[in-house]
Amino acid sequence: MTRNAEAVLIAAVATLASIGVAMVQFAGGTWLDADVALTFIAFAFTFGLIHLAFRAWAPNANPLILPIAGFLAAVGFIEVFRIDPSLAALQRWWLAIAGISAALVVWLLRDSGVAVLRRYRYLFLAAAIGLLLLPLLPESWPIHGAVVNGSRLWVRVTVPFTDIDLSFQPGEVAKVLLTIFLASYLADRSEAMATVSRSIGPIRLPEPRHLGPVLVAAGAAFLVLMYQRDLGASLLLFALFIGMLYAATGRGVYVVSGLVAVVVAGVVAYQQFAHVRVRISAWLDPFADFTGAGYQTAQGLFAMGSGSLTGSGLGLGRPDLIPEATTDFVFAAVGEELGLAGSIAVITAYALFVTVGIGIALRCRDRFRKYLAGGLTILVGIQAFLIIAGVVRVLPITGLTTPLMSYGGSSLLASALILALLGRASHEERV
Amino acid sequence: MPALILNALKILFLLLLFLFLWQIAGAIRVHIGGRGSAPRGKGATELVVLRGDVTKGKRVKLRGSGHTVGRSPDADIIIDDPYASDFHARVSAENGQTRVEDLGSTNGTYVNGRRITAPTGVVKGDTVQIGKTMLEIR
């Protein structure tokens, strides 16, 4: 595999995306229009730009991450286009912005490498917590929080002297910054944390002063998210934290105690918060409250059920009936129009992404790079798992975006950062 | 639009998706050093060091008199491995039969992960582990 092969695969991704768009239009009876060409241009520009940045400043970067990410973005984009072409038009701009940002990150790290991030870990921690707190700003301020679907996750900025509102979800980027912090912290302390200093019965714990700061950091982020009622993000963050601790120390006790903590927290949350109870009952029996809490899950199930093995065909189903079909439930939309086959293709693509990402991490000799690559991969993998598991009713709905596939600028921007950092980390390993 | 055409298009598109993933999966296999390109079997001609530090003989053509592998500067294939003995093992090819023999090493010689006690026949694709060094018959 070379950079040239990467370029060919990226061209294939752009072609796939535009073929999908063409098929949606074809099925809808409209003859092909500029959307097909614009889609090709958007994908070729976005991933081509990151590809060129890799060529220029990270020539030994792993050549497979971009094509896999592009594939997921393409499948997601086709469904977004099918449900709402005007949203897709915006998504093309988000793609372009994400591409530019990723290229910019690769350029910024051209001389210093990702190692420079290690030094500023507390800056990243502060920035992440700050971003997570942004949605709590009062409504009267020019930058203020906004409640969407019962969770206070959004920030709206009113551009001065105009009526234009820009909104974004700062939590998406905060996750990536937190991963950088954790990787940096663990790179310095992993040995100390793997050694056992005291035992409470069968449980053996490391020295508290090593675990302290990282617990405080995770706890703070966790509390903010709980306060904002963002169950998905708190769960994701917790899983990331446990996954990275395990990766850094190789001690299963972290995984076991993490799982126990999740169960305990789940039971407590179930008893304390009404919105958690609603989610759980909608999970156990979505048809009990079909028109209410269970509606989204039930519609998703109907969609995937009617999709059957090969789906209704692009543009021939009714994924627009599923609430949030362009973001959280984009997987159900794929299940309806491309069937089980398409769903398996999507899951396979995520699995390949994780394979490549973990492969990069395993190859890294430097601890920080290793944990960074591993953490970012865990982040994408767990997020995809949590939301897809929610859609197919393996877990309760957690309300996360589907990485790379969902409509949304914040989510794409976060993914672009991950691609840039993974690419750069793999490049440095092979120099 | 006739349903038949739409159905055919749908299947075609799904095939395209899987074709793409197939390409990627194949590339990953090559990347992580799968044995896809070197089939097992007869006709072994080479001894290649897959993993470990080699001072001499990263890749040698097998010969009848055989090669000794070890840390000694006089070995045919010199590996820099603290777990290897001076003359650790010999790999020889006689009458089209490739054999690995342990030369009384401290830590043993492993063929496909199993420690050998007597000269052992190997075929193309087998791995030979000496200390922490991994060799493959090709």
Side-chain angles (χ1 to χ4, degrees), chain A residues 80-149:
Chain A
V80 172
F81 177 80
R82 187 261 167 274
I83 293 159
D84 187 346
S86 61
L87 218 52
L90 270 176
Q91 178 82 335
R92 281 197 285 260
W93 286 109
W94 296 133
L95 272 170
I97 290 170
I100 293 169
S101 318
L104 204 64
V105 170
V106 176
W107 177 72
L108 283 172
L109 297 175
R110 68 193 181 283
D111 292 328
S112 52
V114 291
V116 72
L117 303 175
R118 185 173 177 174
R119 271 186 268 152
Y120 298 110
R121 61 165 172 254
Y122 288 108
L123 195 68
F124 287 116
L125 177 64
I129 303 277
L131 281 172
L132 287 174
L133 285 170
L134 270 186
L136 299 176
L137 294 176
E139 305 270 340
S140 53
W141 290 23
I143 300 178
H144 58 79
V147 178
V148 178
N149 297 331

Side-chain angles (χ1 to χ4, degrees), chain B residues 48-120:
Chain B
V48 182
V49 178
L50 292 183
R51 193 181 70 206
D53 292 326
V54 188
T55 319
K56 189 180 127 195
K58 180 129 185 76
R59 177 186 276 265
V60 295
K61 280 228 179 315
L62 289 170
R63 62 180 183 214
S65 56
H67 299 271
T68 49
V69 188
R71 272 197 308 173
S72 160
D74 297 326
D76 295 320
I77 297 172
I78 306 170
I79 53 178
D80 184 16
D81 185 335
Y83 293 93
S85 301
D86 279 352
F87 290 95
H88 196 114
R90 183 202 306 277
V91 182
S92 55
E94 279 171 283
N95 314 325
Q97 165 74 14
T98 312
R99 303 202 312 172
V100 179
E101 179 187 357
D102 189 81
L103 300 174
S105 66
T106 315
N107 292 317
T109 303
Y110 295 78
V111 170
N112 293 333
R114 206 168 290 167
R115 186 163 183 166
I116 59 169
T117 49
T120 306

Side-chain angles (χ1 to χ4, degrees), chain A residues 170-370:
Chain A
E172 295 283 344
V173 177
K175 293 181 308 202
V176 181
L177 299 184
L178 273 175
T179 311
I180 299 174
F181 163 76
L182 282 173
S184 164
Y185 186 85
L186 291 172
D188 283 2
R189 305 287 172 95
S190 67
E191 268 160 17
M193 294 180 73
T195 53
V196 175
S197 72
R198 57 189 66 196
S199 314
I200 309 168
I203 305 163
R204 294 175 298 167
L205 292 168
E207 197 76 35
R209 72 190 153 92
H210 295 308
L211 208 52
V214 74
L215 277 180
V216 169
F222 206 59
L223 276 180
V224 173
L225 290 168
M226 287 299 273
Y227 182 71
Q228 295 166 347
R229 298 192 162 187
D230 188 0
L231 296 175
S234 15
L235 195 57
L236 173 63
L237 208 63
F238 191 71
L240 169 76
F241 174 63
I242 296 296
M244 287 187 75
L245 266 183
Y246 178 64
T249 60
R251 287 173 41 76
V253 62
Y254 289 118
V255 179
V256 175
S257 49
L259 286 175
V260 171
V262 165
V263 172
V264 170
V267 171
V268 171
Y270 183 78
Q271 281 163 349
Q272 293 298 314
F273 304 112
H275 65 280
V276 176
R277 273 197 293 279
V278 170
R279 289 262 174 108
I280 301 276
S281 58
W283 166 50
L284 293 174
D285 188 1
F287 299 100
D289 187 11
F290 176 67
T291 51
Y295 186 69
Q296 187 181 30
T297 308
Q299 286 293 345
L301 292 177
F302 281 139
M304 287 183 288
S306 68
S308 189
L309 198 62
T310 55
S312 61
L314 288 171
L316 297 168
R318 290 301 304 275
D320 48 313
L321 295 177
I322 316 165
E324 307 293 330
T326 53
T327 54
D328 300 14
F329 268 62
V330 73
F331 186 77
V334 171
E336 173 162 9
E337 299 214 312
L338 294 172
L340 180 67
S343 313
I344 289 177
V346 166
I347 293 177
T348 309
Y350 279 118
L352 291 176
F353 187 90
V354 172
T355 309
V356 172
I358 296 291
I360 292 172
L362 284 176
R363 247 171 248 229
C364 287
R365 284 176 300 253
D366 174 70
R367 277 174 194 278
F368 172 65
R369 254 183 267 141
K370 189 186 270 300

